[in-house]
Amino acid sequence: MIQQSFQSLLQFFTTPDKDWSIVTMPFMVLFIVFFAIFIFVNRRRHTAMLAYVVLFSLFFAYKSNGWLMVLLPATTLLSWWLTDRMKRCSGGGRKALMWLTVVLELLPLLYFKYTNFFIEIFNEMTASNFAPLSILLPVGISFYSLQAVSYTVDVYKGKFTLDVNLLEYAFYLTFFPLLMAGPITRAEVLLPQVKERKPLDEPLIYAGLWLIIVGLLKKALVADYIAQYNNWIFEDPMGFSGFEGAMGVLGYTLQIYLDFSGYSDMSIGIAAIMGFQLRENFNFPYQSLNLTEFWRRWHIALSTWFRDYVYIPLGGNRKGKWRTYLNCFISMLLSGLWHGASWMFVIWGAMHGVGLIIHKACKSWLDKIPNTWYVKIVAWFITFVFVAVAWVFFRSSSVDTAVTLLNHIAVDFSWDYLPPFVTTRFMWTLFLVLGFVLHGLRKRHSDRLGDWFVRSPWLVKLLIFIVVMQLVINFRQDNVQPFIYAQF
C-alpha cells in the first residue's frame, strides 16, 4: 500500500499533465502544502523563500509543458544576463545590445507560435507546398516573453532602475500564478515587492481568498458550464436556428470574459495570499460606451503593453491625425496576431483597429452630443454589438464559419424560439442572465462586497468557500474546459 502510494506520488511529480492549471483539484491540494511550507520559509530567510517559489514555479512549468519548460529558465538566464550587460554599456553599443536582447527574448515565441503561419503565407505567395512542422506551443510563452521584453526596454529607457540579481529576476519571470495566462506584470510592480522582505498580511490573504472564490465562480462554474453549448454553435452554425446561434454568440461573449477574468482573479488572488499585490486586469469591460473605453477595461495588462511598447514607439498621437490612425491600426493588428497564428485573429485585430480609428475620427463630433441616459444606452448597445460580432471571428475556425453564423442569425432570427429555448436550457439561460446582470454592477459595489468578505468572521469565509466548491463540483463537466487564453 505504501509502495503503491509512493509510486502514484512519484508519477504525479514526474508526469506532465495537459490539463494542469490553477483551477484543477490536484493543484489546489498541492498549493495548500506549498503554502504551508511557504509560511515557514518566509519567516526564516528571504533568499530561501525566493528560491523555494522559483523551484515550485519551474515544477508548475514542467507540469504544463514537459521538457519544453527549459525555455523558461533559458529565457530567464539570457534576458537577465544580457540586460545586465546592457546597463553597463553606453551610446550605440547600449542600444544595439537592447535590440539584440529583445530579439532573442522574442525568438522562441516567433518560432514556436508563428513558424507554420509563415510557411502557410509563403506557400500562398509562391504556390509552394512546404509541409507544416510538428510544433507544440509551450504554455505561457506569449506572456513571459512579453514580460521579459518589458523589463529589458524599461531598463534601457531608465524607467526601471533597481539592481536585480538573478534569483530575484527568476522569481519575477517564472512566478507561477502568472505563468499560464498572465496577467503580464511589469518589473516596476512586482520586483520592488520581491526585493522587500515582509511578513504575510492577514487582510491581504483574505482579499486574495475572495478573488480566488470569485475566479472559481467565473471560470469553473459559469464559463465552463455555458461553454459546451457555445461550442456546438460554432462547430455547426447551420445545425441550429438563428435565435440559437445568437444565444451562442452571447454565450461566448460572456464565456471569454468570465474565463479570462476568472483566471486573472485567481492569479492575482494567489499572489495576494503570498503577500504580492498585482494590478487588476479587467474592469467591467462590457459596461464600456465606446471602443476606446473597452480597451481601457479589457485585458488591461496586454492593452497597456501594446500602448507602451508598440503604439507610443511608433509615434503614438504625436505625428498627426493620419499617423495616429496608422499606429493604432498596426498596434491592434499585432495584438490580434499575438493571440494566435491565424488569419482569424488578424481579422479580429483589424476589426478593432478600424473601430478605434472610427471612434477617434468621430470623437470631436461625438463630444457635442448631450450625455443623456438614452444616448448612453445607444452608445453602449453599439459598442457591445460590435465587440460581440468581433468575438465571432475570434472564436470561429474560418471566415466561412463566422460569416455563415452571422448571416444565419440575420435571416433566421425569431423570438418565437425564446420560450422553448428557456424551457430546454433553463440553467444555461439562468447562468447567462446572472452573468450579465452581475457584470452590470458598479465597481464600488464589487469592492464593497470584497471588503465585507475580508472583515467577516472566519466561519463565514469558510462557509462561503465550501458552498462555492460544492457548486463547482456539482456543475463541473467531465471534461474541464481549458483556459481560453492558455492557448495564446
Side-chain angles (χ1 to χ4, degrees):
M1 187 69 174
I2 296 177
Q3 184 179 2
Q4 186 177 2
S5 299
F6 176 77
Q7 289 177 345
S8 299
L9 196 62
L10 182 64
Q11 183 178 12
F12 169 77
F13 280 101
T14 57
T15 306
D17 182 0
K18 64 181 179 63
D19 296 322
W20 176 257
S21 75
I22 62 176
V23 79
T24 58
M25 193 58 69
F27 170 81
M28 294 180 187
V29 173
L30 184 61
F31 179 76
I32 293 173
V33 178
F34 160 82
F35 186 64
I37 300 173
F38 175 84
I39 294 173
F40 175 78
V41 175
N42 189 55
R43 289 174 178 171
R44 300 289 176 171
R45 294 187 59 190
H46 186 63
T47 301
M49 182 275 287
L50 297 181
Y52 173 63
V53 175
V54 169
L55 288 174
F56 185 83
S57 297
L58 293 177
F59 166 75
F60 187 94
Y62 172 74
K63 287 292 289 185
S64 304
N65 288 308
W67 289 110
L68 278 176
M69 60 79 62
V70 298
L71 287 169
L72 179 57
T75 300
T76 300
L77 181 60
L78 188 69
S79 175
W80 176 81
W81 186 78
L82 287 175
T83 303
D84 189 64
R85 300 282 82 76
M86 180 194 70
K87 287 194 295 187
R88 306 172 193 276
C89 296
S90 59
R94 178 182 173 90
K95 187 173 184 179
L97 196 51
M98 183 274 291
W99 278 111
L100 174 64
T101 306
V102 168
V103 169
L104 291 176
E105 289 166 341
L106 290 176
L107 204 56
L109 174 64
L110 295 174
Y111 171 75
F112 283 94
K113 195 166 187 174
Y114 300 107
T115 295
N116 285 332
F117 187 56
F118 293 148
I119 290 175
E120 178 188 344
I121 294 174
F122 181 79
N123 286 342
E124 290 177 355
M125 293 178 63
T126 62
S128 304
N129 58 350
F130 286 101
L133 303 180
S134 179
I135 300 175
L136 294 176
L137 179 65
V139 174
I141 191 171
S142 298
F143 292 89
Y144 67 73
S145 295
L146 296 195
Q147 203 158 296
V149 169
S150 70
Y151 172 76
T152 299
V153 174
D154 286 352
V155 170
Y156 171 77
K157 292 184 175 181
K159 293 182 178 179
F160 185 79
T161 57
L162 288 178
D163 286 327
V164 177
N165 62 40
L166 178 57
L167 181 59
E168 292 165 341
Y169 186 70
F171 185 104
Y172 162 74
L173 204 61
T174 67
F175 193 36
F176 69 92
L178 308 176
L179 190 58
M180 183 169 284
I184 302 165
T185 301
R186 305 288 181 88
E188 64 185 24
V189 173
L190 185 55
L191 277 171
Q193 299 181 68
V194 171
K195 294 181 72 68
E196 179 185 357
R197 180 178 181 179
K198 54 185 179 181
L200 296 178
D201 181 65
E202 187 173 317
L204 187 58
I205 291 176
Y206 290 141
L209 179 60
W210 171 248
L211 286 174
I212 291 173
I213 289 173
V214 172
L216 283 170
L217 286 171
K218 287 181 177 180
K219 161 62 182 171
L221 181 62
V222 183
D224 279 4
Y225 186 85
I226 66 176
Q228 184 177 10
Y229 174 77
N230 302 336
N231 292 341
W232 294 343
I233 295 298
F234 282 93
E235 287 168 5
D236 183 20
M238 294 302 293
F240 299 84
S241 67
F243 177 87
E244 290 171 310
M247 291 300 100
V249 172
L250 275 179
Y252 184 74
T253 300
L254 181 64
Q255 178 196 345
I256 192 170
Y257 164 72
L258 293 178
D259 190 285
F260 193 24
S261 68
Y263 181 93
S264 293
D265 288 338
M266 285 187 280
S267 177
I268 295 168
I270 291 172
I273 286 178
M274 296 171 61
F276 301 97
Q277 292 181 279
L278 306 180
R279 293 173 181 172
E280 67 176 0
N281 202 25
F282 290 85
N283 181 18
F284 300 92
Y286 294 148
Q287 295 182 14
S288 303
L289 302 183
N290 57 67
L291 211 53
T292 301
E293 182 185 357
F294 174 80
W295 279 104
R296 290 174 183 158
R297 291 170 173 261
W298 175 273
H299 200 347
I300 299 170
L302 182 67
S303 59
T304 54
W305 194 96
F306 273 94
R307 180 198 66 194
D308 294 344
Y309 301 105
V310 178
Y311 177 71
I312 292 177
L314 285 173
N317 59 1
R318 305 185 306 273
K319 298 188 176 182
K321 180 174 62 176
W322 294 106
R323 181 63 179 272
T324 298
Y325 298 160
L326 179 61
N327 294 340
C328 182
F329 185 78
I330 292 173
S331 298
M332 291 310 304
L333 208 62
L334 291 175
S335 174
L337 192 57
W338 173 87
H339 282 85
S342 163
W343 287 113
M344 300 306 294
F345 295 118
V346 174
I347 292 171
W348 174 80
M351 289 177 67
H352 275 275
V354 172
L356 287 169
I357 291 171
I358 292 173
H359 177 252
K360 290 179 182 298
C362 298
K363 192 173 186 307
S364 59
W365 174 73
L366 292 172
D367 289 342
K368 297 176 182 178
I369 300 176
N371 197 25
T372 58
W373 66 269
Y374 51 87
V375 170
K376 289 182 179 179
I377 291 175
V378 172
W380 168 82
F381 181 77
I382 292 173
T383 303
F384 181 80
V385 170
F386 179 88
V387 170
V389 170
W391 284 135
V392 173
F393 289 88
F394 186 93
R395 172 61 178 84
S396 298
S397 58
S398 66
V399 175
D400 287 342
T401 301
V403 172
T404 298
L405 176 56
L406 293 173
N407 183 65
H408 191 50
I409 292 172
V411 301
D412 189 39
F413 184 90
S414 173
W415 288 108
D416 294 339
Y417 287 96
L418 178 59
F421 183 89
V422 173
T423 302
T424 305
R425 307 192 185 283
F426 176 77
M427 191 56 64
W428 189 93
T429 306
L430 180 62
F431 277 158
L432 183 76
V433 172
L434 282 176
F436 279 117
V437 167
L438 291 176
H439 186 77
L441 289 174
R442 294 295 181 185
K443 189 177 185 302
R444 63 178 181 272
H445 298 144
S446 175
D447 291 342
R448 286 174 186 171
L449 192 58
D451 292 339
W452 170 83
F453 178 85
V454 171
R455 296 192 306 268
S456 65
W458 71 267
L459 184 59
V460 174
K461 295 182 178 71
L462 179 61
L463 288 174
I464 291 174
F465 184 75
I466 291 173
V467 169
V468 168
M469 289 303 299
Q470 191 61 49
L471 285 171
V472 169
I473 292 171
N474 288 349
F475 284 94
R476 197 177 190 89
Q477 301 177 50
D478 293 334
N479 296 319
V480 179
Q481 297 292 319
F483 283 105
I484 292 175
Y485 265 72
Q487 64 186 296
F488 304 139

